[in-house]
PDB file of all heavy atoms in Angstrom:
ATOM      1  N   THR A 268     217.770 213.437 173.587  1.00  0.00           N
ATOM      2  CA  THR A 268     217.532 212.235 174.275  1.00  0.00           C
ATOM      3  C   THR A 268     217.195 210.971 173.235  1.00  0.00           C
ATOM      4  O   THR A 268     217.153 209.870 173.773  1.00  0.00           O
ATOM      5  CB  THR A 268     216.576 212.185 175.447  1.00  0.00           C
ATOM      6  OG1 THR A 268     215.243 212.481 174.846  1.00  0.00           O
ATOM      7  CG2 THR A 268     217.061 213.412 176.391  1.00  0.00           C
ATOM      8  N   VAL A 269     216.834 211.270 172.106  1.00  0.00           N
ATOM      9  CA  VAL A 269     216.183 210.419 171.239  1.00  0.00           C
ATOM     10  C   VAL A 269     216.994 209.116 170.975  1.00  0.00           C
ATOM     11  O   VAL A 269     216.555 208.046 171.099  1.00  0.00           O
ATOM     12  CB  VAL A 269     215.688 211.024 169.850  1.00  0.00           C
ATOM     13  CG1 VAL A 269     215.237 209.869 168.850  1.00  0.00           C
ATOM     14  CG2 VAL A 269     214.530 211.971 170.096  1.00  0.00           C
ATOM     15  N   ARG A 270     218.289 209.311 170.649  1.00  0.00           N
ATOM     16  CA  ARG A 270     219.120 208.208 170.360  1.00  0.00           C
ATOM     17  C   ARG A 270     219.220 207.174 171.545  1.00  0.00           C
ATOM     18  O   ARG A 270     219.080 205.969 171.321  1.00  0.00           O
ATOM     19  CB  ARG A 270     220.517 208.697 170.072  1.00  0.00           C
ATOM     20  CG  ARG A 270     220.696 209.417 168.637  1.00  0.00           C
ATOM     21  CD  ARG A 270     222.154 209.899 168.523  1.00  0.00           C
ATOM     22  NE  ARG A 270     222.253 210.659 167.315  1.00  0.00           N
ATOM     23  CZ  ARG A 270     222.660 210.136 166.155  1.00  0.00           C
ATOM     24  NH1 ARG A 270     222.817 208.849 166.070  1.00  0.00           N
ATOM     25  NH2 ARG A 270     222.886 210.853 165.088  1.00  0.00           N
ATOM     26  N   THR A 271     219.463 207.776 172.672  1.00  0.00           N
ATOM     27  CA  THR A 271     219.552 206.898 173.863  1.00  0.00           C
ATOM     28  C   THR A 271     218.204 206.277 174.126  1.00  0.00           C
ATOM     29  O   THR A 271     218.164 205.056 174.489  1.00  0.00           O
ATOM     30  CB  THR A 271     219.986 207.730 175.029  1.00  0.00           C
ATOM     31  OG1 THR A 271     221.147 208.342 174.837  1.00  0.00           O
ATOM     32  CG2 THR A 271     220.008 206.819 176.385  1.00  0.00           C
ATOM     33  N   VAL A 272     217.123 206.998 174.019  1.00  0.00           N
ATOM     34  CA  VAL A 272     215.743 206.470 174.280  1.00  0.00           C
ATOM     35  C   VAL A 272     215.488 205.202 173.368  1.00  0.00           C
ATOM     36  O   VAL A 272     214.957 204.179 173.770  1.00  0.00           O
ATOM     37  CB  VAL A 272     214.682 207.440 174.277  1.00  0.00           C
ATOM     38  CG1 VAL A 272     213.341 206.906 174.234  1.00  0.00           C
ATOM     39  CG2 VAL A 272     214.670 208.490 175.410  1.00  0.00           C
ATOM     40  N   ASN A 273     215.766 205.384 172.143  1.00  0.00           N
ATOM     41  CA  ASN A 273     215.476 204.407 171.129  1.00  0.00           C
ATOM     42  C   ASN A 273     216.365 203.155 171.401  1.00  0.00           C
ATOM     43  O   ASN A 273     215.884 201.990 171.221  1.00  0.00           O
ATOM     44  CB  ASN A 273     215.880 204.814 169.786  1.00  0.00           C
ATOM     45  CG  ASN A 273     214.641 205.716 169.213  1.00  0.00           C
ATOM     46  OD1 ASN A 273     213.731 206.072 169.941  1.00  0.00           O
ATOM     47  ND2 ASN A 273     214.663 205.962 167.750  1.00  0.00           N
ATOM     48  N   GLN A 274     217.525 203.318 171.783  1.00  0.00           N
ATOM     49  CA  GLN A 274     218.431 202.154 172.095  1.00  0.00           C
ATOM     50  C   GLN A 274     217.883 201.373 173.254  1.00  0.00           C
ATOM     51  O   GLN A 274     217.812 200.209 173.300  1.00  0.00           O
ATOM     52  CB  GLN A 274     219.817 202.632 172.526  1.00  0.00           C
ATOM     53  CG  GLN A 274     220.729 203.341 171.304  1.00  0.00           C
ATOM     54  CD  GLN A 274     221.213 202.108 170.358  1.00  0.00           C
ATOM     55  OE1 GLN A 274     221.174 200.937 170.705  1.00  0.00           O
ATOM     56  NE2 GLN A 274     221.728 202.525 169.169  1.00  0.00           N
ATOM     57  N   ILE A 275     217.397 202.156 174.339  1.00  0.00           N
ATOM     58  CA  ILE A 275     216.962 201.406 175.471  1.00  0.00           C
ATOM     59  C   ILE A 275     215.546 200.782 175.123  1.00  0.00           C
ATOM     60  O   ILE A 275     215.349 199.624 175.595  1.00  0.00           O
ATOM     61  CB  ILE A 275     216.716 202.537 176.667  1.00  0.00           C
ATOM     62  CG1 ILE A 275     218.095 202.986 177.137  1.00  0.00           C
ATOM     63  CG2 ILE A 275     215.986 201.771 177.797  1.00  0.00           C
ATOM     64  CD1 ILE A 275     217.963 204.178 178.097  1.00  0.00           C
ATOM     65  N   SER A 276     214.692 201.515 174.486  1.00  0.00           N
ATOM     66  CA  SER A 276     213.392 200.966 174.118  1.00  0.00           C
ATOM     67  C   SER A 276     213.517 199.564 173.332  1.00  0.00           C
ATOM     68  O   SER A 276     212.767 198.684 173.439  1.00  0.00           O
ATOM     69  CB  SER A 276     212.578 202.015 173.350  1.00  0.00           C
ATOM     70  OG  SER A 276     212.304 203.191 174.235  1.00  0.00           O
ATOM     71  N   SER A 277     214.304 199.758 172.276  1.00  0.00           N
ATOM     72  CA  SER A 277     214.420 198.587 171.398  1.00  0.00           C
ATOM     73  C   SER A 277     215.097 197.323 172.033  1.00  0.00           C
ATOM     74  O   SER A 277     214.734 196.195 171.683  1.00  0.00           O
ATOM     75  CB  SER A 277     215.184 198.999 170.107  1.00  0.00           C
ATOM     76  OG  SER A 277     216.595 199.336 170.470  1.00  0.00           O
ATOM     77  N   ARG A 278     215.951 197.635 172.999  1.00  0.00           N
ATOM     78  CA  ARG A 278     216.562 196.399 173.696  1.00  0.00           C
ATOM     79  C   ARG A 278     215.629 195.958 174.913  1.00  0.00           C
ATOM     80  O   ARG A 278     215.969 194.886 175.383  1.00  0.00           O
ATOM     81  CB  ARG A 278     217.960 196.931 174.212  1.00  0.00           C
ATOM     82  CG  ARG A 278     218.944 197.068 173.178  1.00  0.00           C
ATOM     83  CD  ARG A 278     220.160 197.593 173.575  1.00  0.00           C
ATOM     84  NE  ARG A 278     221.165 197.768 172.582  1.00  0.00           N
ATOM     85  CZ  ARG A 278     222.323 198.507 172.686  1.00  0.00           C
ATOM     86  NH1 ARG A 278     222.662 199.140 173.841  1.00  0.00           N
ATOM     87  NH2 ARG A 278     223.203 198.548 171.636  1.00  0.00           N
ATOM     88  N   ALA A 279     214.730 196.818 175.280  1.00  0.00           N
ATOM     89  CA  ALA A 279     213.803 196.358 176.327  1.00  0.00           C
ATOM     90  C   ALA A 279     212.739 195.444 175.822  1.00  0.00           C
ATOM     91  O   ALA A 279     212.021 194.800 176.734  1.00  0.00           O
ATOM     92  CB  ALA A 279     213.208 197.592 177.002  1.00  0.00           C
ATOM     93  N   LEU A 280     212.529 195.278 174.552  1.00  0.00           N
ATOM     94  CA  LEU A 280     211.429 194.425 174.028  1.00  0.00           C
ATOM     95  C   LEU A 280     211.751 193.006 174.293  1.00  0.00           C
ATOM     96  O   LEU A 280     212.963 192.584 174.270  1.00  0.00           O
ATOM     97  CB  LEU A 280     211.345 194.628 172.502  1.00  0.00           C
ATOM     98  CG  LEU A 280     210.886 196.095 172.100  1.00  0.00           C
ATOM     99  CD1 LEU A 280     210.977 196.242 170.581  1.00  0.00           C
ATOM    100  CD2 LEU A 280     209.325 196.243 172.609  1.00  0.00           C
ATOM    101  N   SER A 281     210.725 192.250 174.549  1.00  0.00           N
ATOM    102  CA  SER A 281     210.935 190.753 174.769  1.00  0.00           C
ATOM    103  C   SER A 281     210.031 190.060 173.885  1.00  0.00           C
ATOM    104  O   SER A 281     208.972 190.577 173.368  1.00  0.00           O
ATOM    105  CB  SER A 281     210.543 190.377 176.257  1.00  0.00           C
ATOM    106  OG  SER A 281     209.265 190.702 176.614  1.00  0.00           O
ATOM    107  N   ALA A 282     210.316 188.869 173.524  1.00  0.00           N
ATOM    108  CA  ALA A 282     209.397 188.020 172.668  1.00  0.00           C
ATOM    109  C   ALA A 282     208.093 187.577 173.398  1.00  0.00           C
ATOM    110  O   ALA A 282     208.065 187.493 174.565  1.00  0.00           O
ATOM    111  CB  ALA A 282     210.175 186.794 172.262  1.00  0.00           C
ATOM    112  N   ARG A 283     207.068 187.439 172.554  1.00  0.00           N
ATOM    113  CA  ARG A 283     205.749 186.981 173.000  1.00  0.00           C
ATOM    114  C   ARG A 283     204.994 186.221 171.933  1.00  0.00           C
ATOM    115  O   ARG A 283     205.287 186.490 170.759  1.00  0.00           O
ATOM    116  CB  ARG A 283     204.897 188.093 173.779  1.00  0.00           C
ATOM    117  CG  ARG A 283     204.330 189.127 172.703  1.00  0.00           C
ATOM    118  CD  ARG A 283     203.353 189.977 173.389  1.00  0.00           C
ATOM    119  NE  ARG A 283     202.747 190.880 172.311  1.00  0.00           N
ATOM    120  CZ  ARG A 283     201.729 191.713 172.699  1.00  0.00           C
ATOM    121  NH1 ARG A 283     201.412 191.819 173.841  1.00  0.00           N
ATOM    122  NH2 ARG A 283     201.195 192.436 171.634  1.00  0.00           N
ATOM    123  N   SER A 284     204.114 185.431 172.283  1.00  0.00           N
ATOM    124  CA  SER A 284     203.310 184.700 171.394  1.00  0.00           C
ATOM    125  C   SER A 284     201.909 184.354 171.894  1.00  0.00           C
ATOM    126  O   SER A 284     201.806 184.211 173.203  1.00  0.00           O
ATOM    127  CB  SER A 284     203.914 183.397 170.829  1.00  0.00           C
ATOM    128  OG  SER A 284     204.037 182.359 171.897  1.00  0.00           O
ATOM    129  N   TYR A 285     201.016 184.396 171.164  1.00  0.00           N
ATOM    130  CA  TYR A 285     199.565 184.156 171.560  1.00  0.00           C
ATOM    131  C   TYR A 285     198.738 183.743 170.334  1.00  0.00           C
ATOM    132  O   TYR A 285     199.158 183.942 169.272  1.00  0.00           O
ATOM    133  CB  TYR A 285     198.973 185.281 172.274  1.00  0.00           C
ATOM    134  CG  TYR A 285     198.969 186.533 171.492  1.00  0.00           C
ATOM    135  CD1 TYR A 285     197.714 186.979 170.731  1.00  0.00           C
ATOM    136  CD2 TYR A 285     200.029 187.386 171.378  1.00  0.00           C
ATOM    137  CE1 TYR A 285     197.677 188.107 170.080  1.00  0.00           C
ATOM    138  CE2 TYR A 285     200.052 188.578 170.636  1.00  0.00           C
ATOM    139  CZ  TYR A 285     198.853 188.828 169.922  1.00  0.00           C
ATOM    140  OH  TYR A 285     198.754 190.063 169.159  1.00  0.00           O
ATOM    141  N   THR A 286     197.584 183.151 170.607  1.00  0.00           N
ATOM    142  CA  THR A 286     196.616 182.749 169.603  1.00  0.00           C
ATOM    143  C   THR A 286     195.344 183.276 169.812  1.00  0.00           C
ATOM    144  O   THR A 286     194.809 183.085 170.949  1.00  0.00           O
ATOM    145  CB  THR A 286     196.603 181.179 169.367  1.00  0.00           C
ATOM    146  OG1 THR A 286     197.975 180.710 169.191  1.00  0.00           O
ATOM    147  CG2 THR A 286     195.718 180.779 168.241  1.00  0.00           C
TER     148      THR A 286
END
Side-chain angles (χ1 to χ4, degrees):
T268 65
V269 168
R270 290 176 181 271
T271 300
V272 166
N273 280 13
Q274 290 285 350
I275 294 172
S276 297
S277 63
R278 290 173 178 167
L280 294 170
S281 58
R283 69 175 188 173
S284 64
Y285 58 97
T286 303

